């Protein structure tokens, strides 16, 4: 585990554990309507170090997390590259740690929101494996349609990139293909956008066959309009006048350029992936139908990325889901069984995290995974209480919940990581969501209250039953405990007299044992 960098004379005023401030340290001088931020080291690692006890060091065991060693088994070594500096001169780049500069554009009066967004972009970039060197925010009403920042600021960005030795520029919004190419031609290094970073993280963290297929589909949808050819890759592959004007038999024909061939192959691959993802549906529906047949309610844990959803699931069910203080640490849905205090069974499902400006390709590709939210009976909406802007997190998650048709499902707001916030911050958060629960998956605070609230909101059986069950039908008593709500048992000579509440379907199954009260 990496350690926070030692404070230098330039950043002595910034707390060592405030990784966000290190990345977004405002320069003493601001020039011409843009803000320049100083360098920071290891934001994603520092976020991990901020909690010295770790996510797993809790009072209760939260399951084995065997994926952690696999994820940390590969390490990249910096400063071993001999590539050309001008990205326009080469087509392929080698794998290495990338040094990045962040850029963003914001209108008048939206500086605070822009800084929160670029903080998040810095964490995304480091989660993807990059080193954030600097950031630049440009104040202008709208992004320049040509170079995003404008010609003059793009030239200044080229100077910043050259002085810092950066090899990648990341924009805080999704760039049009023409904007990316034009800006790349000016700064002479690779230019990507926020969407590309998120897709890269998803590609690294996907584990299951369905998750990998969903990520690949989203990547291809993003890549298709951004294909770019170099040199001979634009030439015709067959037919055409290959040797000049009328050069020989068999040389005439419409031909096909390499880029057209790539587009056709991408369309073919996307069709195959859609069919493959659709093929995963029946198995998922069969599991869900099995739960519905036995009337097992479901609770979905949803929320912003890195809010602590997996930690909460581990705390309640000892699921052993990988927990890491990084964005999008877990992608694949995990379903675990648990029960209320009165013995009613229900399932808890951990879902993929959300983020502001979530690429629409991912929303579409992960729609099958988000079905767990849409089909649930209760949604536990986990919010990071220590985040500088929890209100925007809540809005982002609710927008995605609405997109999948789950807006009418009962919702429990849980402010996780409450051990990291002060009493004054709690008052502010309470004003934001008066009925929210303050909890900490690390210390166990609020967990019991969450379970009580879940038990209150779960659909309860409503049909009263008065039964006399023979002693040789213990399976009926077991089913009533499992699927209904047993209120009273009395053992008589003829059998067990039961008073319980059940659903209409269960009441019909045990109607043969009904007796008068």
């Amino acid at each position: 585990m990496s350690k926070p960098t030692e404070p230098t004379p330039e950043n002595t005023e910034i707390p060592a554990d405030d990784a966000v401030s290190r990345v977004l340290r405002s320069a003493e001088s601001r020039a011409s309507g843009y803000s320049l931020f100083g360098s920071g080291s290891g934001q994603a690692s520092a976020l991990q170090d901020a909690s010295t006890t770790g996510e797993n060091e809790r009072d209760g065991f939260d399951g084995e997390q065997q994926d952690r060693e696999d994820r940390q088994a590969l390490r990249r070594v910096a400063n071993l590259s001999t590539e050309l500096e001008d990205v326009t001169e080469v087509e392929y780049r080698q794998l290495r740690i990338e040094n990045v500069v962040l850029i963003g554009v914001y209108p008048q009066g939206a500086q605070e929101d822009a800084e929160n967004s670029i903080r998040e972009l810095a964490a995304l970039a480091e989660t993807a494996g990059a080193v954030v060197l600097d950031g630049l925010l440009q104040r202008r009403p709208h992004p320049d349609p040509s170079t995003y920042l404008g010609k003059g600021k793009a030239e200044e960005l080229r100077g910043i990139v050259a002085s810092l030795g950066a090899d990648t520029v990341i924009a805080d919004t999704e760039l049009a293909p023409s904007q990316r190419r034009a800006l790349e031609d000016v700064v002479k290094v690779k230019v990507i956008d926020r969407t590309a970073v998120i897709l890269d993280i998803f590609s690294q963290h996907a584990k299951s066959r369905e998750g990998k297929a969903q990520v690949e589909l989203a990547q291809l949808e993003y890549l298709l309009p951004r294909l770019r050819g170099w040199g001979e890759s634009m030439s015709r592959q067959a037919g055409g006048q290959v040797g000049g004007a009328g050069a020989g038999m068999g040389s005439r024909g419409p031909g096909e350029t390499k880029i057209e061939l790539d587009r056709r192959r991408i369309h073919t691959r996307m069709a195959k992936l859609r069919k493959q993802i659709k093929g995963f549906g029946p198995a998922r529906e069969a599991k869900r139908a099995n739960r519905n047949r036995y009337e097992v309610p479901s609770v979905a844990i949803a929320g912003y990325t890195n809010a602590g959803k997996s930690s909460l699931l581990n705390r309640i069910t000892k699921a052993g889901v990988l927990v890491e203080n990084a964005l999008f640490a877990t992608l694949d849905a995990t379903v675990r069984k648990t029960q209320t205090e009165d013995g009613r069974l229900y399932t808890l499902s951990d879902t993929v995290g959300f983020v502001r400006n979530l690429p629409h390709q991912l929303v579409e590709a992960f729609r099958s995974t988000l079905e767990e939210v849409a089909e649930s009976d209760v949604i536990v909406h986990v919010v990071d209480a220590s985040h500088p802007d929890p209100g925007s997190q809540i809005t982002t998650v609710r927008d995605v919940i609405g997109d999948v048709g789950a807006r009418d499902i009962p919702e429990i707001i849980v402010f996780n990581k409450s051990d990291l916030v002060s009493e004054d911050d709690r008052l502010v958060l309470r004003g934001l969501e008066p009925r929210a629960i303050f909890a900490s998956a690390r210390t166990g605070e609020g967990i019991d209250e969450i379970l009580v609230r879940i038990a209150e909101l779960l659909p309860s059986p409503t049909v009263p039953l008065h039964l006399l069950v023979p002693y040789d039908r213990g399976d009926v008593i077991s089913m009533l405990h499992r699927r209904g709500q047993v209120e009273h048992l009395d053992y008589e000579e003829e059998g067990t007299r039961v008073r319980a509440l059940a659903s209409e379907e269960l009441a019909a199954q045990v109607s043969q044992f009904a007796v008068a009260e």
Side-chain angles (χ1 to χ4, degrees), residues 101-265:
V101 172
L102 312 179
I103 60 172
V105 171
Y106 68 95
Q108 181 74 32
Q111 180 173 344
E112 182 178 356
D113 186 62
E115 291 187 0
N116 286 334
S117 181
I118 208 167
R119 286 188 186 103
E120 188 173 271
L121 180 61
L124 286 168
E126 293 200 352
T127 301
V131 177
V132 179
L133 299 180
D134 217 334
L136 184 145
L137 284 176
Q138 162 73 7
R139 188 180 70 244
R140 56 181 300 146
H142 304 286
D144 182 70
S146 176
T147 59
Y148 183 66
L149 290 176
K151 184 177 179 181
K153 290 299 181 288
E155 294 287 346
E156 292 183 28
L157 174 63
R158 181 173 65 180
I160 293 171
V161 167
S163 64
L164 294 174
D167 47 47
T168 303
V169 172
I170 305 178
D172 195 26
T173 54
E174 185 168 327
L175 296 177
S178 59
Q179 286 177 316
R180 185 185 66 82
R181 288 195 298 268
L183 189 57
E184 206 169 67
D185 290 339
V186 174
V187 299
K188 302 300 182 183
V189 298
K190 183 175 69 172
V191 177
I192 59 175
D193 55 22
R194 184 189 188 95
T195 300
V197 176
I198 295 175
L199 289 172
D200 186 80
I201 296 172
F202 272 56
S203 178
Q204 294 180 44
H205 291 182
K207 293 293 184 183
S208 67
R209 287 180 59 212
E210 183 174 10
K212 291 178 180 178
Q214 289 168 332
V215 172
E216 184 179 353
L217 176 61
Q219 287 177 315
L220 291 177
E221 288 179 344
Y222 174 78
L223 173 65
L224 189 59
R226 292 170 174 80
L227 289 179
R228 183 178 184 182
W230 275 267
E232 294 184 357
S233 68
M234 301 296 290
S235 66
R236 299 205 175 258
Q237 301 300 297
Q241 298 185 0
V242 296
M249 295 182 294
S251 63
R252 301 169 184 83
E256 184 176 34
T257 62
K258 176 67 166 57
I259 199 167
E260 289 168 348
L261 181 62
D262 288 343
R263 288 196 184 103
R264 182 158 51 82
R265 294 179 65 183

Side-chain angles (χ1 to χ4, degrees), residues 258-484:
K258 176 67 166 57
I259 199 167
E260 289 168 348
L261 181 62
D262 288 343
R263 288 196 184 103
R264 182 158 51 82
R265 294 179 65 183
I266 288 176
H267 279 296
T268 302
R269 179 61 179 166
M270 286 170 60
K272 183 178 179 180
L273 287 170
R274 289 193 180 100
K275 185 177 180 180
Q276 184 179 349
I277 293 172
K278 188 176 180 181
F280 293 121
R284 191 169 48 251
E285 291 170 4
K287 294 178 182 178
R288 191 178 298 125
N290 196 39
R291 295 198 297 264
N292 293 337
R293 181 167 62 252
Y294 290 102
E295 299 169 356
V296 179
S298 62
V299 177
I301 302 177
Y304 213 78
T305 179
N306 204 35
K309 300 181 296 299
S310 298
S311 300
L312 194 63
L313 179 69
N314 286 346
R315 185 78 191 194
I316 295 174
T317 68
K318 311 298 184 289
V321 177
L322 182 142
V323 171
E324 190 173 5
N325 200 357
L327 306 187
F328 299 116
T330 52
L331 300 182
D332 303 313
T334 303
V335 181
R336 291 293 184 268
K337 181 175 68 174
T338 186
Q339 62 182 19
T340 61
E341 286 291 332
D342 55 9
R344 286 180 292 158
L345 292 177
Y346 65 95
T347 61
L348 268 174
S349 58
D350 181 21
T351 60
V352 63
F354 306 136
V355 71
R356 70 171 74 196
N357 301 323
L358 187 68
H360 67 88
Q361 297 98 334
L362 284 175
V363 176
E364 290 300 320
F366 277 79
R367 188 166 294 275
S368 58
T369 303
L370 297 175
E371 287 175 2
E372 292 293 339
V373 178
E375 298 292 334
S376 63
D377 296 291
V378 179
I379 296 175
V380 177
H381 181 172
V382 183
V383 184
D384 182 357
S386 63
H387 192 272
D389 189 11
S392 67
Q393 286 195 354
I394 295 174
T395 301
T396 298
V397 174
R398 283 177 171 167
D399 287 344
V400 180
I401 288 175
D403 289 342
V404 298
R407 200 178 295 276
D408 297 330
I409 297 175
E411 177 190 48
I412 302 172
I413 294 287
V414 176
F415 285 116
N416 193 27
K417 306 182 185 180
S418 59
D419 54 312
L420 303 179
V421 298
S422 65
E423 289 298 326
D424 292 340
D425 292 333
R426 291 195 181 209
L427 289 176
V428 174
L429 295 172
R430 182 68 70 187
L432 196 63
E433 289 289 337
R435 299 193 70 243
I437 298 173
F438 288 91
S440 172
R442 183 176 63 180
T443 65
E445 175 192 355
I447 299 299
D448 293 337
E449 188 178 353
I450 294 172
L451 296 176
V452 170
R453 185 76 63 83
I454 289 175
E456 291 174 354
L457 293 179
L458 285 176
S460 300
T462 57
V463 178
L465 297 177
H466 299 278
L467 309 175
L468 183 61
V469 182
Y471 286 120
D472 61 350
R473 293 302 307 272
D475 60 308
V476 175
I477 302 297
S478 176
M479 182 169 59
L480 288 171
H481 277 290
R482 189 173 63 251
R483 297 172 54 188

